[in-house]
Amino acid sequence: MKTIAINSIKGGTGKSTLSVLFINALMRAGKKCLVIDADASNNSLSFYLDNSSGLEASQGHTVFDLFLGTKVQDCVKKVQDNLDLIRGDVRLNEFRSTDSLKRLKRALQGLDYDFVIIDTSPTYDNIIGNVLTASDILLIPVQQDIFSFQVLKYQFEKLADLELDDLDTHIIFNQFEKPLNGNQETYRNQITNMFLENEVFKPFINKYHLSRSSVYRKYINKRNYRLSSKSETQKGYEEVQNLVQNILGVTIKEVI
Ligand SMILES: Nc1ncnc2c1ncn2[C@@H]1O[C@H](COP(=O)(O)OP(=O)(O)O)[C@@H](O)[C@H]1O
Ligand SMILES: [Mg+2]
């Protein structure tokens, strides 16, 4: 079992989008997955994945109960064959200053999934500390702007404090745009080079990225929209396939 955290301290970088793309790719590859929505302020992942009515979706145990000690089996909701979801909960905020960083790691021990995927809030607190401590892989989506760069520096300082030397960390450019007309002097290109030339970030920047594309926005907003290797969505399909293959070593099917 591999546990994947998706976190950036900046909001709107594509954490939930990346989570959904990876989850659906793994579903298509026949993997058994548990998804945990650990975003205390915006449960978009629960919304994307859970088809049930609002009232029904508000019943039952959540990630809050998981942190309190309720067993995973009693917190999960089956949302598809091979896909279990633990829904988000605003009460997760209660654990922002918890003294233990191992609650989640303990809760996830001995489970029978291929992958556990955890979407998170754009914050740094002890909930994120718990998520990172429980994870094998960290995906950090970033955008080509100066604020993303500054926030990433802060995030790496915090990561160093946790001393998670085995955490397989990947910085992934999302909403990536190439310089117009190959002009290297554009603001965006200068910022991109700042990331690529930074000694701390350099070893962790993945060679693949997700472009800025309405295809991804549609993918999140339209339930039946698919990315396919043989249609106008081909580029999106290939970008996801490259990332999933590179990071997880999993080959996905022709359509996700
Ligand atoms: N590669 C992309 N191209 C175009 N729009 C994107 C892309 N990635 C994310 N978005 C859009 O950006 C917004 C924020 O994405 P989201 O995944 O919710 O970010 P986060 O979970 O980090 O807050 C959403 O409206 C989403 O549809
Ligand atoms: Mg989100």
Side-chain angles (χ1 to χ4, degrees), residues 58-69:
S58 67
Q59 314 287 317
H61 291 312
T62 68
V63 66
F64 174 70
D65 303 288
L66 184 70
F67 266 75
L68 271 182

Side-chain angles (χ1 to χ4, degrees), residues 54-158:
L55 190 61
E56 194 192 322
S58 67
Q59 314 287 317
H61 291 312
T62 68
V63 66
F64 174 70
D65 303 288
L66 184 70
F67 266 75
L68 271 182
T70 305
K71 286 200 170 67
V72 166
Q73 302 87 289
D74 298 322
C75 296
V76 298
K77 177 162 188 214
K78 188 180 175 69
V79 287
Q80 272 179 44
D81 268 355
N82 273 343
L83 181 60
D84 287 346
L85 169 70
I86 298 183
R87 285 187 294 103
D89 192 324
V90 65
R91 293 173 297 168
L92 195 61
N93 283 301
E94 305 279 323
F95 298 107
R96 285 211 188 284
S97 57
T98 174
D99 53 355
S100 172
L101 292 182
K102 295 211 168 150
R103 279 174 193 256
L104 191 61
K105 190 181 171 84
R106 278 197 288 269
L108 298 182
Q109 250 154 26
L111 295 175
D112 173 32
Y113 292 99
D114 297 313
F115 292 95
V116 179
I117 298 114
I118 312 176
D119 189 19
T120 60
S121 311
T123 47
Y124 184 82
D125 55 23
N126 283 357
I127 300 168
I128 307 296
N130 262 273
V131 170
L132 298 177
T133 304
S135 295
D136 305 295
I137 299 169
L138 168 62
L139 308 183
I140 309 175
V142 297
Q143 289 163 311
Q144 295 155 291
D145 61 47
I146 189 67
F147 191 51
S148 275
F149 182 81
Q150 288 167 342
V151 168
L152 191 62
K153 274 183 141 173
Y154 177 81
Q155 184 165 8
F156 267 73
E157 283 164 25
K158 295 293 162 194

